[in-house]
């Protein structure tokens, strides 16, 4: 693998991930639609900021996208600047989409890029901002075996556990299903807290008990006391992005004809929270929206 790495999307996750690539000794070129983010990154790290996707494409042998949605990834590659990025990439270049994108859209994008001689791998991540910073993300990789082998050394700077989960799109399917479970556990923990509190239980005591019992989950162990009860609401993962992930999972089930009632319910709950609070609010504050529902009487 030769040449610079182009990194698109210097947000909550992209910023620390790109920093780890620089630390790993790679020449990194960064771009963000908010140009001050790319410039700020280049000021702080040994990296080059560019103001156009065409420039990034000309300089990079490998491109990483860390954008909000698969729609944004498609736009960056094929639509913005008249599709300059895909046009400027040399045949044989590899695009690694590390965003949590829709797996069906990823397969379509893969076909369109392949027609231009560009290879696509999906490699979404889990672990949040904390593990993005220390380079210990879990990464779920989909694509053809040869391309995956070629990108593993790059991914190794950002993640500790690299899972190969099948062909293109499987990484994104895996990711939305993981986040569907995480979101469902969070919604259930928040609901249990609401009921318990109303009955007279102390929420802090509740989560001491739950964390020593079978109801424990990532949400109960890492979110309920630290982010919700403390009202810190500062995980760095927005409710809009989690609502998007749960929708991808529920829609995927519908697209392939699998009955998934919990997916539908969780999709509705997080859509409601995102609409009520605003998509840019922290996902742990979803409880504030659900609390507004008040009590059902009678
Ligand atoms: P973010 O909103 O903080 O960052 C996204 C960045 O992309 C922003 O800087 C934005 O300006 C930029 N951007 C948007 N559209 C663009 C475009 N077309 N071209 C160039 N730049 C563009 O989001 P994030 O929290 O870093 O999440 C990124 C992805 O990672 C999402 O798919 C999210 O679901 C996923 N994810 C997030 C977390 C988390 O804890 N935040 C954890 C795992 C996965």
């Amino acid at each position: 693998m030769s040449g610079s790495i182009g990194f698109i999307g210097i947000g909550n996750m992209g910023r620390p991930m790109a920093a780890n690539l620089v630390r790993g000794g790679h020449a990194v070129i960064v771009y963000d639609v908010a140009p001050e983010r790319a410039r700020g990154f280049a000021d702080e790290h040994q990296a080059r900021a560019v103001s156009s996707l065409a420039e990034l494409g000309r300089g990079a042998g490998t491109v990483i996208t860390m954008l909000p949605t698969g729609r944004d990834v498609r736009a960056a590659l094929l639509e913005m600047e008249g599709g300059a990025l895909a046009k400027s990439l040399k045949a044989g270049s590899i695009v690694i989409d590390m965003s949590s994108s829709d797996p069906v859209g990823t397969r379509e994008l893969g076909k369109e890029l392949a027609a231009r001689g560009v290879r696509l791998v999906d490699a979404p991540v889990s672990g949040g901002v904390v593990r993005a910073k220390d380079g210990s993300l879990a990464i779920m990789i989909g694509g053809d075996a040869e391309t995956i082998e070629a990108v593993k050394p790059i991914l190794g700077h950002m993640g500790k556990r690299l899972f190969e989960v099948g062909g293109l799109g499987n990484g994104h399917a895996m990711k939305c299903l993981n986040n569907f479970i995480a979101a469902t556990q969070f919604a259930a923990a928040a609901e249990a807290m609401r009921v318990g509190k109303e009955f007279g239980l102390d929420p802090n005591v509740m989560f001491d008990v739950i964390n020593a019992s079978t109801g424990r989950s990532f949400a109960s162990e890492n979110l309920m006391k630290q982010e919700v009860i403390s009202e810190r609401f500062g995980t760095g993962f927005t409710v809009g992005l989690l609502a998007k992930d749960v929708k991808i999972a529920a829609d995927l089930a519908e697209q392939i004809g699998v009955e998934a009632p919990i997916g539908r319910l969780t999709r509705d709950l997080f859509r409601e929270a995102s609409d009520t609070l605003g998509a840019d609010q922290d996902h742990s504050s979803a409880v504030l929206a659900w609390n507004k529902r008040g009590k059902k009487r009678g």
Side-chain angles (χ1 to χ4, degrees), residues 20-237:
N20 282 329
L21 290 177
V22 175
R23 270 182 221 115
H26 286 283
V28 176
I29 307 171
V30 291
Y31 172 87
D32 195 291
V33 273
E36 69 284 0
R37 293 191 178 177
R39 278 198 304 269
F41 182 87
D43 288 345
E44 248 183 67
H45 302 89
Q46 198 74 22
R48 180 158 74 96
V50 291
S51 53
S52 81
L53 289 164
E55 201 179 343
L56 182 138
R58 282 194 297 273
T62 306
V63 172
I64 294 176
T65 45
M66 193 55 177
L67 301 175
T69 68
R71 191 77 206 73
D72 299 312
V73 174
R74 184 181 183 80
L77 280 154
L78 298 175
E79 294 163 14
M80 291 165 67
E81 300 171 29
L85 176 54
K87 284 179 197 157
S88 62
L89 287 173
K90 292 176 195 70
S93 302
I94 302 177
V95 175
I96 311 171
D97 181 19
M98 302 191 75
S99 331
S100 306
S101 303
D102 147 44
V104 176
T106 298
R107 289 194 175 159
E108 283 161 13
L109 180 63
K111 280 187 200 138
E112 285 169 74
L113 291 178
R116 298 160 186 260
V118 173
R119 295 176 281 169
L120 179 64
V121 167
D122 51 326
V125 306
S126 187
V129 175
V130 173
R131 284 169 57 191
K133 282 186 180 155
D134 67 18
S136 70
L137 292 165
I139 307 186
M140 27 212 122
I141 319 169
D144 72 71
E146 195 189 319
T147 315
I148 290 177
E149 220 37 58
V151 300
K152 269 188 181 168
I154 294 177
L155 297 177
H157 293 298
M158 296 176 278
K160 259 205 187 110
R161 307 280 311 269
L162 308 186
F163 296 95
E164 291 176 46
V165 294
L168 185 66
N170 279 24
H172 284 148
M174 188 62 240
K175 172 64 185 170
C176 72
L177 293 171
N178 174 76
N179 279 27
F180 153 63
I181 296 174
T184 305
Q185 288 173 334
F186 177 71
E191 189 168 302
M193 185 172 82
R194 245 182 357 264
V195 176
K197 210 171 151 187
E198 187 64 29
F199 192 72
L201 284 165
D202 176 336
N204 277 299
V205 174
M206 281 184 75
F207 285 100
D208 287 339
V209 176
I210 289 165
N211 289 339
S213 307
T214 50
R216 71 183 177 279
S217 63
F218 179 85
S220 76
E221 289 183 329
N222 299 287
L223 299 179
M224 297 311 294
K225 282 192 178 194
Q226 297 88 330
E227 307 292 343
V228 176
I229 296 171
S230 71
E231 298 186 352
R232 194 178 85 97
F233 304 130
T235 66
F237 184 38

